[in-house]
């Protein structure tokens, strides 16, 4: 009994910090499925020295990249976000399908007003039938350049991977780093009317690697045991670039894309657009040595300046001399569209899937850039686009303008005047979108501004045909749909032609972000079974800022399991 009393006293006298440390240690273990995970996110600035420069960056909990959110399939996740910076903030849980939790999706002015300086907002959502690698990032201004981190959702207890269990798992986040303040950078780019400057460096888990100035020791490294197989959870958190990734002399076997299992597919390199995730298996089956993991540019647009120095990390065998030269990785050339197609061709769902065969609503959506006429009294400062115009971007030639309140709130509370429900289901006129696109900038390349939404009936089977256009330039656009994953049933080059298009309705990949091929098209299908207001946009942030987006509103169905709940009490005000 005395021992028990002493034990109780010891427990009581434990400091709060010990309790928190114990809690944090527990948080990294796999919980039982269906449990609740709590996270505390503080938006804070942090001083970092990179590329010979010291500057303040915005982070979560002063971590760069930010903390990993660990969970298990069907877990509930609760994240309290406190904004301790002078900037507006929101967090988007990229790829989380947010079943009946649209209020917590995170895109600013779409589902919520930003969390202002000094304010707090608690996100709550459940990983319903979801497992795999996803990520979270800021969804306001260009803050996600540094405000991002992984979401790792393990299968339920006792459920194995559909492939041999790897010896170890490692998170590998691809990013872009700017020396300039990114909030000011976005403002400057939009004010100039011109293009965005390239990033000062690519990064792997926040490290640029030895190819950059002052970065010989700013390198990420994985130590590997010869003969063992590793799973890399690849995440592209870059802001304005798509990227190739490869490991010198090692094959990558893709087992998952956008947190859905795929048939095993082995390749020398992969391409991820911003917003895309991929799990790959790598076996340490080469002679003992230090091998480069490389991240380089995929730039499919014409006449755009970009960072062409690769970020390097090390895949280093135990037993390799620490100062040995790393063997270089072989990346495709920056505009190798075929390398991108080869990866896409290899992605198939692990098992046959239930793709909607009959379609209730089919949308044809052009995606591309525009040049508007100069409206400024100081054109040299504000009209730096082609032929003294200003850059814009659009879907169906509508440039999306974010309102000053959240669309979800306006829709839910029936407040008029902030958005319209007339996003067109097809372009105003059809022509040769790729080769015959208007290009006499800015005279015939203008777009119309609007906060237009498309309303979809609950339970309707949706098909969206995305078509890249040649106005300004053809380009691969990574299009992300919030609140849903979708089957990528087809894609190709040139103009979409229903007569000749080949569809895979058996085992297409189930994704949340699709790279619409440069000068080509992609077709997605899904069932609109999650009520709410869902942003659909290009995940290259400069294009999003220029207006390459639209909003889908999915109406309520019948009963509470098909109805959007009321807003949370602490929803931020605009």
């Amino acid at each position: 009994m005395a021992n028990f009393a002493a034990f109780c006293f010891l427990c009581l006298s434990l400091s709060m910090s010990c309790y928190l440390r114990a809690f944090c240690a527990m948080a990294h273990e796999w919980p039982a499925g269906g449990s609740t995970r709590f996270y505390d996110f503080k938006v804070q600035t942090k001083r970092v020295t990179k590329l010979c420069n010291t500057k303040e960056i915005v982070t979560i909990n002063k971590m760069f990249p930010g903390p990993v959110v660990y969970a298990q399939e069907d877990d509930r996740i609760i994240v309290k976000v406190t904004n301790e910076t002078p900037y507006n903030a929101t967090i988007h849980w990229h790829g989380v399908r947010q079943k009946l939790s649209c209020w917590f999706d995170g895109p600013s002015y779409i589902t919520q007003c930003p969390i202002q300086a000094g304010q707090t907002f608690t996100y709550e959502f459940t990983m319903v039938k979801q497992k795999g690698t996803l990520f979270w990032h800021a969804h306001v201004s260009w803050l996600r350049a540094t405000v991002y981190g992984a979401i790792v959702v393990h299968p339920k207890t006792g459920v194995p991977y559909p492939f041999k269990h790897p010896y170890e798992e490692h998170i590998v986040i691809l990013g872009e780093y700017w020396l300039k303040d990114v909030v000011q950078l976005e403002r400057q780019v939009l004010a100039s009317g011109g293009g965005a400057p390239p990033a000062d460096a690519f990064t792997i888990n926040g490290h640029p690697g030895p190819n950059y100035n002052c970065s010989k020791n700013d390198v990420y490294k994985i130590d590997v045991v010869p003969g063992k197989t590793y799973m890399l959870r690849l995440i592209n958190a870059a802001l304005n670039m798509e990227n190739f990734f490869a490991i010198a002399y090692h094959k990558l076997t893709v087992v998952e894309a956008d947190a859905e299992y795929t048939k095993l597919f082995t390749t020398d390199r992969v391409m991820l657009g911003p917003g895309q995730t991929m799990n790959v298996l790598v076996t340490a089956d080469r002679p003992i040595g230090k091998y480069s993991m490389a991240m380089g540019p995929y730039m499919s647009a014409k006449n755009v300046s970009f960072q062409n120095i690769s970020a390097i990390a090390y895949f280093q065998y135990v037993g390799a001399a620490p100062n040995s030269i790393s063997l270089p990785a072989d990346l495709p050339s920056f505009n190798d569209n075929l390398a991108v197609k080869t990866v896409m061709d290899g992605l198939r769902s692990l098992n046959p899937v239930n793709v909607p065969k009959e379609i209730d609503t089919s949308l044809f959506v052009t995606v591309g850039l525009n040049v508007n006429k100069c409206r400024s009294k100081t054109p040299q400062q504000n009209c730096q686009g082609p032929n003294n115009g200003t850059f814009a971007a659009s879907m169906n030639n509508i440039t999306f303008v974010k309102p000053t309140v959240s669309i979800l709130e306006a829709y839910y509370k029936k407040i008029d005047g902030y958005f319209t429900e007339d996003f067109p289901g097809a372009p105003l006129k059809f022509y040769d979108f790729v080769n015959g696109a208007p290009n006499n900038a800015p005279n015939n390349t203008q777009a119309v501004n609007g906060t237009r939404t498309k309303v979809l009936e609950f339970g309707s089977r949706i098909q969206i045909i995305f078509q890249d256009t040649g106005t300004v330039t053809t380009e691969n656009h990574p299009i992300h749909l919030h609140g849903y994953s979708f089957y990528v049933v087809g894609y190709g080059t040139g103009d979409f032609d229903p007569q000749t298009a080949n569809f895979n309705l058996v085992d297409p990949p189930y994704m949340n972000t699709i790279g619409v091929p440069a000068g080509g098209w992609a077709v997605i299908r899904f069932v609109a079974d999650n009520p709410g207001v869902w942003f659909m946009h290009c995940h290259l942030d400069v294009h999003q800022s220029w207006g390459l987006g639209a909003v889908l509103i999915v109406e309520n169905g019948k009963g509470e399991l098909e109805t959007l709940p009321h807003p949370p009490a602490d929803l931020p005000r605009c």
Side-chain angles (χ1 to χ4, degrees):
M1 191 68 196
N3 284 354
F4 179 70
F7 173 72
C8 289
F9 176 76
L10 182 66
C11 289
L12 285 170
S13 64
L14 271 176
S15 70
M16 193 64 186
S17 65
C18 289
Y19 164 77
L20 286 172
R21 274 205 297 275
F23 176 77
C24 291
M26 286 187 326
H28 280 84
E29 291 168 15
W30 291 17
S35 56
T36 301
R37 316 298 306 267
F38 294 92
Y39 285 88
D40 198 4
F41 275 24
K42 290 188 166 48
V43 189
Q44 298 170 322
T45 56
K46 169 187 171 74
R47 273 185 96 66
V48 294
T49 301
K50 280 193 190 301
L51 312 174
C52 327
N53 279 271
T54 300
K55 61 169 276 203
E56 297 261 327
I57 62 170
V58 179
T59 65
I60 297 296
N61 300 352
K62 295 194 185 288
M63 294 168 68
F64 175 61
V68 182
V69 170
Y70 288 100
Q72 214 171 358
E73 184 178 352
D74 291 338
D75 277 357
R76 185 159 186 72
I77 296 174
I78 299 178
V79 187
K80 180 184 174 189
V81 178
T82 306
N83 186 1
E84 298 179 358
T85 73
Y87 304 103
N88 280 345
T90 68
I91 304 290
H92 169 53
W93 314 92
H94 186 111
V96 175
R97 293 198 272 269
Q98 296 292 2
K99 198 75 178 181
L100 298 181
S101 52
C102 186
W103 296 106
F104 305 107
D105 187 40
S108 56
Y109 303 106
I110 308 296
T111 62
Q112 68 168 98
C113 300
I115 306 166
Q116 295 174 32
Q119 287 186 344
T120 294
F121 179 51
T122 300
Y123 292 89
E124 295 189 37
F125 50 89
T126 303
M127 303 305 299
V128 182
K129 294 184 180 159
Q130 285 195 266
K131 55 186 173 291
T133 306
L134 295 166
F135 77 120
W136 55 264
H137 61 77
H139 212 304
V140 61
S141 173
W142 287 3
L143 275 186
R144 75 174 184 84
T146 55
V147 181
Y148 59 79
I151 301 174
V152 173
V153 186
H154 291 291
K156 290 180 178 176
T157 307
V159 177
Y161 293 138
F163 45 85
K164 190 164 177 274
H165 206 285
Y167 178 67
E168 274 179 10
E169 301 179 3
H170 293 272
I171 295 164
V172 176
I173 309 185
L174 313 179
E176 285 183 289
Y177 189 82
W178 271 266
L179 293 171
K180 267 191 170 164
D181 176 302
V182 288
V183 174
Q184 285 176 327
L185 182 68
E186 186 203 26
R187 283 193 199 122
Q188 285 166 1
V189 168
L190 293 179
S192 76
D200 295 294
F202 294 132
T203 59
I204 298 177
N205 286 344
H207 302 282
N211 290 348
Y212 291 97
N213 289 343
C214 306
S215 303
K216 192 162 81 78
N217 299 318
D218 197 352
V219 194
Y220 177 69
K221 176 169 72 102
I222 298 174
D223 290 310
V224 300
V225 176
K228 298 294 187 190
T229 297
Y230 294 80
M231 185 162 82
L232 306 185
R233 296 179 179 271
L234 302 176
I235 297 167
N236 192 340
L239 198 73
N240 289 329
M241 271 307 282
E242 301 187 295
N243 295 96
F244 288 112
F245 176 85
I247 304 180
Y249 302 102
H250 287 72
K251 298 272 187 201
L252 309 174
T253 299
V254 180
V255 294
E256 179 191 298
D258 281 5
E260 294 290 335
Y261 291 135
T262 61
K263 291 182 169 66
L264 270 58
F265 159 60
T266 302
T267 175
D268 291 322
R269 61 274 176 115
V270 291
M271 193 288 284
L272 291 92
Q276 293 184 316
T277 63
M278 206 177 268
N279 286 4
V280 298
L281 299 177
V282 190
T283 301
D285 56 2
R286 307 299 296 176
I288 286 177
K290 185 156 79 172
Y291 296 86
S292 291
M293 294 191 280
M295 165 199 184
Y298 169 50
M299 174 49 79
S300 54
K302 309 277 188 298
N303 306 318
V304 178
S305 62
F306 60 92
Q307 176 58 262
N308 63 355
I309 299 172
S310 299
I312 298 293
Y314 297 139
F315 191 75
Q316 186 165 326
Y317 284 58
V318 172
N323 53 359
S324 56
I325 304 291
S326 69
L327 295 156
D330 186 22
L331 289 172
S333 64
F334 72 89
N335 57 358
D336 190 340
N337 295 333
L338 186 61
V340 175
K341 182 185 183 304
T342 306
V343 175
M344 197 59 216
D345 288 348
L347 296 183
R348 306 271 172 159
S349 281
L350 179 61
N351 300 308
V353 288
N354 186 18
V355 187
K357 309 283 194 299
E358 309 280 309
I359 297 300
D360 300 306
T361 302
S362 186
L363 307 178
F364 189 109
V365 178
T366 60
V367 295
L369 303 185
N370 301 83
V371 180
N372 291 334
K373 286 183 176 168
C374 183
R375 301 261 182 256
S376 168
K377 302 234 177 3
T378 51
Q380 269 142 340
Q381 285 163 286
N382 309 117
C383 303
Q384 295 173 19
N387 300 332
N388 304 318
T390 60
F391 272 121
S394 61
M395 286 184 166
N396 282 349
N397 222 44
I398 314 287
T399 289
F400 184 79
V401 179
K402 284 188 178 175
T404 51
V405 301
S406 119
I407 295 178
L408 178 59
E409 213 170 339
Y411 170 70
Y412 185 84
K413 295 178 176 171
K414 299 184 169 57
I415 309 167
D416 285 343
Y418 289 105
F419 68 94
T420 57
E421 297 183 353
D422 57 349
F423 180 80
L428 206 52
K429 58 174 187 277
F430 281 76
Y431 50 89
D432 181 344
F433 293 110
V434 176
N435 299 307
N439 256 320
N440 179 18
N443 302 314
N444 64 355
T445 56
Q446 300 184 74
V448 180
N449 286 349
T451 309
R452 300 201 192 183
T453 68
K454 178 74 183 173
V455 179
L456 304 173
E457 195 180 323
F458 184 93
S460 56
R461 295 157 296 185
I462 309 298
Q463 171 175 280
I464 305 178
I465 301 153
F466 293 111
Q467 173 70 58
D468 184 34
T469 74
T471 297
V472 185
T473 176
T474 53
E475 184 169 0
N476 182 300
H477 293 278
I479 303 295
H480 172 49
L481 174 59
H482 290 231
Y484 288 88
S485 294
F486 44 75
Y487 294 108
V488 182
V489 296
Y491 50 88
T493 52
D495 281 13
F496 175 75
D497 179 349
Q499 278 8 90
T500 58
N502 266 331
F503 281 6
N504 171 8
L505 301 177
V506 178
D507 61 355
Y510 195 44
M511 305 181 78
N512 63 56
T513 305
I514 175 63
V516 178
W521 53 271
V523 178
I524 68 170
R525 290 184 179 183
F526 62 97
V527 177
D529 58 2
N530 190 11
V533 168
W534 305 109
F535 201 15
M536 175 174 75
H537 64 91
C538 181
H539 218 280
L540 302 170
D541 272 32
V542 64
H543 292 179
Q544 188 195 305
S545 298
W546 284 339
L548 213 174
V551 163
L552 303 180
I553 295 180
V554 177
E555 295 178 316
N556 286 331
K558 294 184 174 69
E560 65 178 282
L561 289 178
E562 296 181 359
T563 301
L564 182 71
H566 58 78
D570 63 340
L571 192 71
R573 312 249 63 80
C574 280

